[in-house]
Amino acid sequence: MQATLHQLKVFEATARHGSFTRAAEELFITQPTVSSQIKQLSKAVGLPLFEQIGKRLYLTEAGAELLVTCQDIFQRLDNFEMKVADFKGTKQGCLRLAVITTAKYFIPRILGSFCQRYPGIDVSLKVTNHQQIQTRMQNNEDDLYIVSQPPEDLELTYQPFLENPLVVIARRDHPLANWPQVPLAKLNNEAFIMREKGSGTRQAVQQLFAQYGVEVQVRLELGSNEAIKQAIIGGLGISVLSEHTLISEGPHSELAVLNVEQFPIQRRWYVAHLSGKQLSVIARAFLEYLLEESQKMPKPSSLLRSNVLIPAHVSP
Ligand code: PGA
């Protein structure tokens, strides 16, 4: 097969976008150049690579197989470039991370100091919920993942590195905010703001409520921790969120952590990657850096207590 690396790049971009035009835009070439490169590549393969139905392009079976091969080749070439940079004593290349929503409260800070140490690195950071991360893992889209619950049906290598407790959050003037200990049953019939389907937080909350027969009234579903905090302040109800979501709240926060029985739900963050994946030099460097730096981070509850978000009578 007489395919050039350039043709493979054009093919990969076209397959990713499902469009000749968008591939042309990304690669700064014209649309007719893209279609002629694809035509030549199909000729070299001896089979069509795309089917056009309406305006949309679909990969044929041969096209899908070629896409996997291209992704493998480009990843190896990227790794090779990073290794060469490493041999030369510099770290260069791209680090692809995907993290669950709660990790956005600390990962950008760690990334900041990591990038200062290695200025030649580009970072792509995707922040999304548990289910979306799982899909990205299945598609081998990133180098490293941060999750609270490593999916069991995927072959992953992972290690825990920080606690990620889930707590009950209410508005500061909520009647239960001054209770030294709130029985779990008190949550029955409370107006509740729930994270969206596919969220790991939601899964953990529903599991605990089902186990103890708690029936809250779900008034609102929201796909963002920050939006939930605003909805609590707006008086729409209480919710359960990671304690880390409160880290930037100051002493005048309008939120309080309720001291409810069975809470916090103890969870941890794990840094994970696909077991078969050969980690790039940069991904390995970041993994080590993350494990080292996270040991130095204060626990969220110590920050919260100093911010008086937890009622004063709760002993530290
Ligand atoms: P979620 O995950 O964004 O899917 O709720 C957060 C977590 O599990 O800590």
Side-chain angles (χ1 to χ4, degrees), residues 185-230:
K186 273 275 168 206
L187 300 191
N188 274 318
N189 299 318
E190 278 287 333
F192 197 87
I193 308 160
M194 188 67 102
R195 280 284 307 273
E196 79 288 3
K197 284 204 181 79
S199 145
T201 308
R202 175 188 175 115
Q203 223 178 337
V205 172
Q206 284 183 330
Q207 218 168 1
L208 183 92
F209 286 174
Q211 187 181 351
Y212 291 95
V214 176
E215 286 190 20
V216 290
Q217 277 177 40
V218 179
R219 205 187 228 184
L220 189 62
E221 273 189 26
L222 286 173
S224 140
N225 298 321
E226 287 304 308
I228 290 185
K229 280 162 57 182
Q230 293 308 317

Side-chain angles (χ1 to χ4, degrees), residues 11 59-70:
F11 165 77
L59 284 169
T60 60
E61 209 176 340
E65 195 55 41
L66 183 59
L67 178 59
V68 174
T69 310
C70 283

Side-chain angles (χ1 to χ4, degrees), residues 163-166 262-268:
E163 288 169 24
N164 178 25
L166 301 183
Q262 308 302 335
F263 280 89
I265 301 177
Q266 295 297 354
R267 304 178 89 217
R268 297 169 105 183

Side-chain angles (χ1 to χ4, degrees), residues 99-103 128-133 147-149 164 166 195-196 198-204 223 225 242 267-269:
V99 309
I100 47 167
T101 60
T102 48
T128 188
N129 72 17
H130 177 79
Q131 195 173 49
Q132 296 294 325
I133 297 260
V147 287
S148 284
Q149 217 183 327
N164 178 25
L166 301 183
R195 280 284 307 273
E196 79 288 3
S199 145
T201 308
R202 175 188 175 115
Q203 223 178 337
N225 298 321
S242 161
R267 304 178 89 217
R268 297 169 105 183
W269 276 314

Side-chain angles (χ1 to χ4, degrees), residues 50-257:
F50 292 105
E51 263 170 9
Q52 183 147 18
I53 300 173
K55 280 197 173 163
R56 175 115 190 117
L57 284 180
Y58 293 89
L59 284 169
T60 60
E61 209 176 340
E65 195 55 41
L66 183 59
L67 178 59
V68 174
T69 310
C70 283
Q71 286 166 339
D72 191 38
I73 291 172
F74 294 137
Q75 195 176 327
R76 280 165 191 256
L77 283 174
D78 281 351
N79 282 355
F80 174 70
E81 274 178 34
M82 290 186 217
K83 274 190 189 146
V84 170
D86 199 38
F87 293 148
K88 290 181 186 164
T90 53
K91 290 216 177 354
Q92 272 171 14
C94 185
L95 172 67
R96 280 174 295 260
L97 288 177
V99 309
I100 47 167
T101 60
T102 48
K104 78 167 179 206
Y105 294 93
F106 79 98
I107 279 289
R109 290 167 198 236
I110 288 193
L111 271 175
S113 48
F114 182 71
C115 290
Q116 263 167 12
R117 188 183 282 191
Y118 304 116
I121 293 177
D122 295 323
V123 180
S124 142
L125 172 64
K126 179 80 189 168
V127 180
T128 188
N129 72 17
H130 177 79
Q131 195 173 49
Q132 296 294 325
I133 297 260
Q134 203 164 335
T135 311
R136 294 181 73 89
M137 284 173 164
Q138 274 156 357
N139 297 334
N140 184 21
E141 287 185 54
D142 311 277
D143 297 315
L144 294 171
Y145 300 91
I146 292 179
V147 287
S148 284
Q149 217 183 327
E152 282 166 15
D153 52 346
L154 289 172
E155 286 208 24
L156 292 176
T157 303
Y158 54 85
Q159 39 193 322
F161 66 95
L162 258 189
E163 288 169 24
N164 178 25
L166 301 183
V167 292
V168 184
I169 301 176
R171 202 159 82 164
R172 223 179 204 312
D173 59 2
H174 191 283
L176 296 176
N178 292 321
W179 285 40
Q181 172 108 59
V182 181
L184 191 56
K186 273 275 168 206
L187 300 191
N188 274 318
N189 299 318
E190 278 287 333
F192 197 87
I193 308 160
M194 188 67 102
R195 280 284 307 273
E196 79 288 3
K197 284 204 181 79
S199 145
T201 308
R202 175 188 175 115
Q203 223 178 337
V205 172
Q206 284 183 330
Q207 218 168 1
L208 183 92
F209 286 174
Q211 187 181 351
Y212 291 95
V214 176
E215 286 190 20
V216 290
Q217 277 177 40
V218 179
R219 205 187 228 184
L220 189 62
E221 273 189 26
L222 286 173
S224 140
N225 298 321
E226 287 304 308
I228 290 185
K229 280 162 57 182
Q230 293 308 317
I232 296 172
I233 293 170
L236 286 166
I238 63 168
S239 189
V240 173
L241 292 176
S242 161
E243 218 169 41
H244 287 270
T245 63
L246 297 172
I247 268 172
S248 54
E249 295 293 318
H252 303 298
S253 171
E254 293 172 75
L255 299 170
V257 174

